[in-house]
Amino acid sequence: MRYYVLDRGDELSIKLAEQFHKLAAERDLQLDAESPEIVISIGGDGTMLHAFHTFIDQIPNLAFVGVHTGHLGFYADWQAEELPTLIDYMCGTEDSEPQKPRIVKYPLLELEIHKKSGSSSHIALNEFTLKGVDGTIMIQVDINDVTFEMFRGDGLCISTPSGSTAYNKSLGGAMVHPSIEALQIAEIASINNRVFRTMGSPLLLPKHHHCDILSCKDQRLLLTIDHNNIPVDDLISVRCQVSDKKVSFARYRPFPFWNRVREAFLV
């Protein structure tokens, strides 16, 4: 099996990465930075986002495994002290064969950003946010090519189901099971008066729907795709929809989504 390890860069994560490499070498796993079958993320959810975007062009051909060393590891199945157990599952032991993982696929968010200076396409694992640099923003929100609302406020957050437990949750959005292929629109401090009226509550759009965010004036904006920030001062529009691509996670033992939610927020 070909693998790659990406760590958070702190002392503990680096030490664990070295331990994994040593254990992997003893089991004849092949380190491959170009075309791995399994990518091990050692750190927190931010590390997983970094791993996802590092290998984003190879999403259909690999699966991710998370090892948790941070404060909150929603994507992580494994604790730091469990690396030998993970290797045993992956490679087998003298008494057992390697365990074939259950591959769990999560929906992704597809973005088409159109600017006066050009256009680009992006994929997000967690969310896309649009905020103003100098204050509130003015944007038009269309759903399926029909004007839905005129928005004024701090910004919008468009999240995937797996990202619904992140920034979206802090905005009062719903937590959505990843088996539901949808995107969620949550407002960030909207202004409601006689001129600007918004729904004031999160919206869920199914896979076959899309929304367009259109800039209503010249304004400096900050677009954030997961952990990547893109300053823009010539935005025309952003189209958001559920991607045809999905991210894969290798589950070597059961860890249901609602168990993750409970452990992340209630235990």
Side-chain angles (χ1 to χ4, degrees), residues 3-6 31-41 47-64 245 247:
Y3 81 95
Y4 186 73
V5 174
L6 194 148
L31 178 62
D32 188 339
E34 300 299 324
S35 57
E37 298 170 85
I38 295 286
V39 174
I40 312 296
S41 167
T47 312
M48 180 62 77
L49 292 175
H50 181 45
F52 170 79
H53 284 277
T54 298
F55 290 95
I56 195 166
D57 293 333
Q58 302 181 47
I59 289 303
N61 305 315
L62 57 79
F64 294 90
K245 298 179 180 178
V247 61

Side-chain angles (χ1 to χ4, degrees), residues 85-104:
T85 305
L86 173 58
I87 288 286
D88 286 344
Y89 275 112
M90 294 175 65
C91 303
T93 66
E94 293 181 357
D95 301 321
S96 64
E97 294 293 323
Q99 181 169 320
K100 185 177 181 179
R102 175 171 174 254
I103 301 300
V104 178

Side-chain angles (χ1 to χ4, degrees), residues 109-245:
L109 175 63
E110 180 179 313
L111 305 164
E112 296 177 13
I113 300 175
H114 301 286
K115 302 180 294 181
K116 294 177 182 178
S117 56
S119 301
S120 59
S121 298
H122 305 267
I123 298 289
L125 173 57
N126 262 11
E127 75 266 313
F128 161 73
T129 62
L130 182 148
K131 296 181 179 180
V133 173
D134 302 312
T136 58
I137 62 173
M138 293 176 58
I139 56 176
Q140 175 181 318
V141 179
D142 292 0
I143 295 178
N144 296 338
D145 304 316
V146 176
T147 299
F148 184 75
E149 66 180 19
M150 301 297 294
F151 176 91
R152 183 163 188 170
D154 285 356
L156 290 178
C157 172
I158 316 295
S159 65
T160 66
S162 54
S164 68
T165 61
Y167 190 17
N168 169 78
K169 180 179 181 296
S170 70
L171 297 172
M175 287 185 281
V176 181
H177 194 281
S179 64
I180 300 172
E181 296 183 84
L183 61 82
Q184 186 167 184
I185 306 171
E187 299 176 359
I188 306 173
S190 62
I191 296 173
N192 280 278
N193 52 37
R194 287 183 298 174
V195 178
F196 294 94
R197 301 292 299 172
T198 70
M199 285 299 296
S201 61
L203 302 174
L204 275 178
L205 301 187
K207 182 175 182 178
H208 60 285
H209 289 194
H210 63 268
C211 73
D212 293 303
I213 302 168
L214 298 89
S215 180
C216 294
K217 64 174 184 176
D218 292 333
Q219 51 192 331
R220 293 198 301 161
L221 302 168
L222 182 65
L223 313 185
T224 302
I225 302 169
D226 290 333
H227 61 303
N228 299 314
N229 296 319
I230 307 174
V232 174
D233 60 8
D234 61 345
L235 183 71
I236 299 173
S237 66
V238 181
R239 172 158 291 193
C240 309
Q241 58 191 359
V242 178
S243 175
D244 289 331
K245 298 179 180 178

